[in-house]
Amino acid sequence: MLVGITSCCFARCSRPPHCLTVKQKSSTTSARNLANPLPHQKLRSGEQRGRSHFEAWESEEKGDGERMSIYGRDPWGGPLEIHADSATDDDRSRNLDLDRAALSMTSRQLDETQQSWLLAGPGDKGKKKKKYVDLGCLIVSRKIFLWTVGAVVAAAALAGLITLIVKTVPHHHRPRPPPDNYTLALHKALMFFNAQRSGRIPKHNNVSWRGNSGMKDGFSDPSYGRSLVGGFYDAGDAIKFNFPSSFAMTMLSWSVIEYSAKYEAAGELVHVKEIIKWGVDYLLKTFNSSADTIDRVAAQVGQGATSGGTNPNDHYCWTRPEDIDYPRPVYVCHSCSDLTAEMAASLASASIVFKDNKAYSQKLVHGAATLWKFAREQRGRYSEGGSDASVFYNSTSYWDEFVWGGAWMYLATGNSSYLQLSTHPKLAKHAGAFWGGPDYGVLSWDNKLTGAQVLLSRLRLFLSPGYPYEEMLRTFHNQTGIIMCSYLPVFNSFNRTKGGLIQLNHGRPQPLQYVVNAAFLASLYSDYLEAADTPGWYCGPNFFPTGALRDFARTQIDYILGKNPKKMSYVVGFGQRYPKHVHHRGASIPKNGVKYNCKGGWKWRDTKKPNPNTIIGAMVAGPDKHDGFHDIRTNYNYTEPTLAGNAGLVAALVALSGESTGVDKNTIFSAVPPMFPSPPPPPAPWRP
């Protein structure tokens, strides 16, 4: 039996280099007697008891005649053997102390306190024993454990107290700042579209003096014989012109795509989307939207002839739309590229607005593709030949609608063939992109080139599709910069009234519809540059910051809202002073249960009394080139509002509204595939 006696190992639970181990052989009897003493034996105390045991052990070793060796650790490796025969008396004395301690340990079980004495370090003598807590996977000091638990409980109590105080103390939130003028005007401008609705009016229309009207549209013309109920009346009459109406819906959709967050902040996102849906749903009725190929489109409902005849029509008669009882003709076109390309743009842009409704969005895209195919295959202007539409909304060309419509078709479908067409140099040349002209840079229901240039500049700024589109996109981008320069007051491209209103239509009547479109484009392009981390742009050698464009837009819209020499707001219902004699049939005739026939309503047209019904949000035609304005109902050049004009006003107002600026960079590209192939997937992990 081997008995290991290690003096220093009891203290450190390890074998440092200076520890020595005594190995010995003993007889079975002696070892048993030493390790297991009988209970009845009386042991001597102290040193005598240890010495007696040691002497007995030594005598037995000598009797066996075997050699005793002590092994220590050699610092160079291997055992260090010291023979007992050569040991000195001092060595024996030291070994005696070691052996006495070892034998006393084997003789009886030590209690916990004694074990802690033996395990204690040199400086731990007399210290109080530490207590520990066994947490299963971790043993920690009891003191630390108690402090930790106490801190957690105290923190929980403090948090509960704070929560209780916060819930019981009355809150004093900082009130939101009042809406700015642009937001207030936005609420009102959208209400105009509610007043212009045709068909079955929804319950939440919120225009008390309006009701169902035009319920026989389409059927009242025997040559057409299909329903054309719905849509919007164009202006102060009851005619439904698809050409300006489609442009109005495109402008509204564009503004929603860019500024949906602002609409939502103003609480008008649902409202404006309802307006757009009302408009494009009607456009889907004007052709066979489920077919891939068509040969005709309904371009207009109602007659606006002013030839002087006495036959009832929508211009000769002055009556509420709800009281119309005369037949309303439907004008159908078989070659109308300008109209159908604009209608395609309207449906395509709306499909992006309603992209979350996949079935409806796809329906709009399909209708837009059908219209686009018809526009490209059946060339011609819808207002050719002195048609009724040519008197009111004459189209000068269809090439600008090809550039404009092609851009929207690409954004709605991601089909690159549309982008190739929109960026074709010959098409841009026909549209007037390379020559000035008096209306260059003026966006309107007739001229869409400027809008297309801004829209395609956006594509270059944020996607940069590169070859083969880059050359033409760069040209459009440069031209957009030149147009923005022409809006600034430091240049003389356009005259201004003394009150500061830019004369985009060169002094002709009804100027505001062009001004609001320019204000929208300037604000929008400013936001494009900021979103692209571009601080401004160059006008020749001069650099202008983006703020110059917003300043231009603000000054023009502020003029319309009342900062003008007349101190009059040209938006009905906004401000303290606004037109009271708006050229509008429904607003000028009271809803009193009396049905006025075609000529019976003339007295309401000619009266000098204010309109009995206020058409909230209607932007009238505007002042003349001398800042003059005549609030006369019969003079439509001053007092008549239009659908296209109010659409531009809404777009400009939402762009300027709120405290923040910025556009939604990505929504408009939701259908556009990546311009470059995506990188291949990473290889599979290596396995040996």
Side-chain angles (χ1 to χ4, degrees):
M1 179 178 179
L2 297 178
V3 180
I5 304 174
T6 310
S7 61
C8 56
C9 291
F10 285 116
R12 297 289 183 264
C13 297
S14 61
R15 291 185 62 184
H18 63 276
C19 291
L20 299 179
T21 301
V22 179
K23 289 187 178 180
Q24 60 185 14
K25 287 184 179 181
S26 63
S27 64
T28 305
T29 303
S30 301
R32 186 183 296 115
N33 292 337
L34 291 173
N36 301 305
L38 295 177
H40 64 275
Q41 290 178 325
K42 295 183 178 180
L43 302 178
R44 299 186 187 92
S45 60
E47 181 180 353
Q48 292 179 351
R49 183 176 52 187
R51 185 180 300 275
S52 173
H53 283 289
F54 181 77
E55 289 173 352
W57 167 76
E58 187 177 24
S59 61
E60 289 183 4
E61 287 297 318
K62 290 182 178 180
D64 291 340
E66 296 182 0
R67 186 179 60 183
M68 181 185 67
S69 62
I70 300 176
Y71 291 88
R73 177 167 293 180
D74 188 353
W76 291 277
L80 177 61
E81 184 175 353
I82 304 175
H83 296 286
D85 293 343
S86 60
T88 63
D89 292 339
D90 294 336
D91 294 334
R92 290 180 181 274
S93 177
R94 283 193 298 270
N95 293 340
L96 177 62
D97 295 336
L98 294 173
D99 295 337
R100 184 184 299 114
L103 290 174
S104 63
M105 285 298 296
T106 59
S107 63
R108 61 188 178 88
Q109 186 69 29
L110 298 179
D111 59 24
E112 186 179 355
T113 303
Q114 291 170 330
Q115 290 180 12
S116 65
W117 292 344
L118 292 175
L119 295 174
D124 295 339
K125 187 176 180 180
K127 289 187 178 180
K128 189 176 180 180
K129 185 186 73 169
K130 292 183 178 180
K131 296 182 179 181
Y132 297 88
V133 176
D134 189 352
L135 301 178
C137 60
L138 183 66
I139 298 177
V140 297
S141 171
R142 182 183 178 188
K143 185 176 181 180
I144 296 176
F145 175 76
L146 293 177
W147 272 102
T148 304
V149 172
V152 171
V153 172
L158 181 61
L161 180 62
I162 294 174
T163 303
L164 182 63
I165 294 174
V166 170
K167 288 186 176 181
T168 54
V169 173
H171 300 282
H172 299 284
H173 295 293
R174 183 179 180 182
R176 289 185 177 182
D180 55 82
N181 284 341
Y182 306 123
T183 302
L184 293 174
L186 175 65
H187 296 311
K188 298 182 182 297
L190 286 169
M191 286 299 297
F192 171 75
F193 293 90
N194 292 29
Q196 294 301 103
R197 275 180 168 143
S198 176
R200 189 173 300 277
I201 303 299
K203 294 181 179 180
H204 60 278
N205 196 51
N206 296 327
V207 181
S208 60
W209 45 272
R210 283 302 321 277
N212 299 337
S213 64
M215 300 303 293
K216 295 181 179 180
D217 283 352
F219 296 115
S220 63
D221 188 340
S223 64
Y224 192 79
R226 292 186 298 276
S227 174
L228 287 175
V229 176
F232 293 100
Y233 298 125
D234 172 65
D237 47 37
I239 304 176
K240 295 189 286 192
F241 292 105
N242 282 11
F243 193 49
S245 174
S246 298
F247 174 71
M249 295 303 105
T250 307
M251 290 293 289
L252 289 180
S253 294
W254 194 5
S255 69
V256 171
I257 293 169
E258 302 287 10
Y259 298 110
S260 61
K262 288 192 173 187
Y263 274 114
E264 189 168 11
E268 292 288 357
L269 182 60
V270 174
H271 186 193
V272 70
K273 291 175 75 172
E274 286 179 351
I275 293 171
I276 295 169
K277 190 175 188 302
W278 187 275
V280 297
D281 280 349
Y282 171 75
L283 294 179
L284 290 172
K285 287 184 175 183
T286 61
F287 68 102
N288 186 2
S289 60
S290 61
D292 295 331
T293 303
I294 57 175
D295 61 355
R296 68 188 66 188
V297 171
Q300 176 183 330
V301 176
Q303 187 177 12
T306 56
S307 58
T310 58
N311 292 329
N313 62 62
D314 292 292
H315 264 240
Y316 179 75
C317 299
W318 192 271
T319 184
R320 297 176 69 243
E322 292 80 0
D323 297 335
I324 291 176
D325 56 3
Y326 50 83
R328 286 157 56 83
V330 176
Y331 291 85
V332 177
C333 68
H334 298 274
S335 58
C336 40
S337 299
D338 40 12
L339 170 62
T340 51
E342 179 55 55
M343 291 173 64
S346 179
L347 298 183
S349 58
S351 73
I352 302 175
V353 172
F354 297 102
K355 66 182 180 62
D356 294 334
N357 186 344
K358 293 184 179 180
Y360 184 64
S361 179
Q362 190 57 41
K363 181 180 180 180
L364 295 175
V365 169
H366 182 268
T370 300
L371 288 168
W372 183 260
K373 182 180 179 182
F374 178 67
R376 293 288 295 163
E377 292 178 354
Q378 304 295 326
R379 302 289 181 90
R381 293 187 300 113
Y382 93 107
S383 57
E384 281 181 335
S387 65
D388 190 68
S390 64
V391 179
F392 304 98
Y393 291 101
N394 182 48
S395 175
T396 55
S397 139
Y398 53 74
W399 298 105
D400 55 317
E401 277 84 14
F402 280 167
V403 180
W404 170 252
W408 280 114
M409 289 298 295
Y410 171 70
L411 294 172
T413 65
N415 188 335
S416 60
S417 64
Y418 296 116
L419 182 60
Q420 291 174 1
L421 179 66
S422 293
T423 56
H424 198 285
K426 289 185 178 180
L427 189 64
K429 179 181 178 181
H430 288 310
F434 301 110
W435 60 279
D439 295 327
Y440 188 81
V442 181
L443 175 63
S444 70
W445 50 264
D446 178 35
N447 181 15
K448 321 295 173 35
L449 176 63
T450 304
Q453 290 167 322
V454 175
L455 189 61
L456 291 172
S457 296
R458 184 197 212 282
L459 181 67
R460 183 174 186 258
L461 282 169
F462 298 132
L463 287 191
S464 186
Y467 180 85
Y469 317 107
E470 170 60 22
E471 183 177 356
M472 201 63 227
L473 289 178
R474 184 175 63 250
T475 300
F476 285 145
H477 193 177
N478 292 337
Q479 291 170 345
T480 298
I482 294 172
I483 292 170
M484 295 301 150
C485 296
S486 70
Y487 293 160
L488 301 182
V490 296
F491 298 98
N492 298 321
S493 301
F494 299 100
N495 294 328
R496 280 172 165 76
T497 66
K498 291 182 178 180
L501 184 69
I502 189 171
Q503 296 290 287
L504 294 170
N505 64 339
H506 305 286
R508 296 189 293 268
Q510 306 175 22
L512 296 188
Q513 59 180 313
Y514 309 101
V515 173
V516 292
N517 291 339
F520 170 64
L521 293 182
S523 300
L524 184 63
Y525 190 66
S526 171
D527 288 338
Y528 285 172
L529 294 179
E530 290 184 3
D533 295 327
T534 305
W537 84 110
Y538 280 94
C539 296
N542 301 316
F543 181 83
F544 290 89
T546 57
L549 291 175
R550 297 190 73 85
D551 290 342
F552 159 76
R554 287 191 185 98
T555 57
Q556 299 304 304
I557 298 301
D558 289 346
Y559 182 102
I560 295 172
L561 296 181
K563 290 185 178 180
N564 53 64
K566 287 287 184 180
K567 306 297 181 184
M568 173 177 282
S569 167
Y570 295 115
V571 177
V572 177
F574 183 85
Q576 299 297 320
R577 188 165 180 256
Y578 50 83
K580 300 295 196 304
H581 304 81
V582 181
H583 182 93
H584 192 275
R585 285 162 174 78
S588 63
I589 302 175
K591 184 182 179 181
N592 55 8
V594 178
K595 182 178 179 179
Y596 299 94
N597 59 22
C598 180
K599 297 174 64 174
W602 285 7
K603 67 175 184 178
W604 299 107
R605 179 193 65 186
D606 299 332
T607 183
K608 295 183 179 180
K609 294 181 179 180
N611 288 350
N613 305 312
T614 302
I615 182 166
I616 299 294
M619 183 185 73
V620 297
D624 56 29
K625 59 183 179 181
H626 303 294
D627 296 312
F629 181 80
H630 302 285
D631 190 7
I632 302 173
R633 187 179 297 108
T634 55
N635 195 334
Y636 58 86
N637 281 330
Y638 288 107
T639 59
E640 185 174 23
T642 63
L643 209 64
N646 255 72
L649 173 65
V650 168
L653 288 172
V654 73
L656 293 172
S657 67
E659 298 179 356
S660 61
T661 61
V663 294
D664 183 342
K665 292 174 61 175
N666 300 319
T667 296
I668 200 170
F669 301 128
S670 57
V672 177
M675 288 295 178
F676 304 100
S678 56
W686 179 82
R687 293 182 179 179

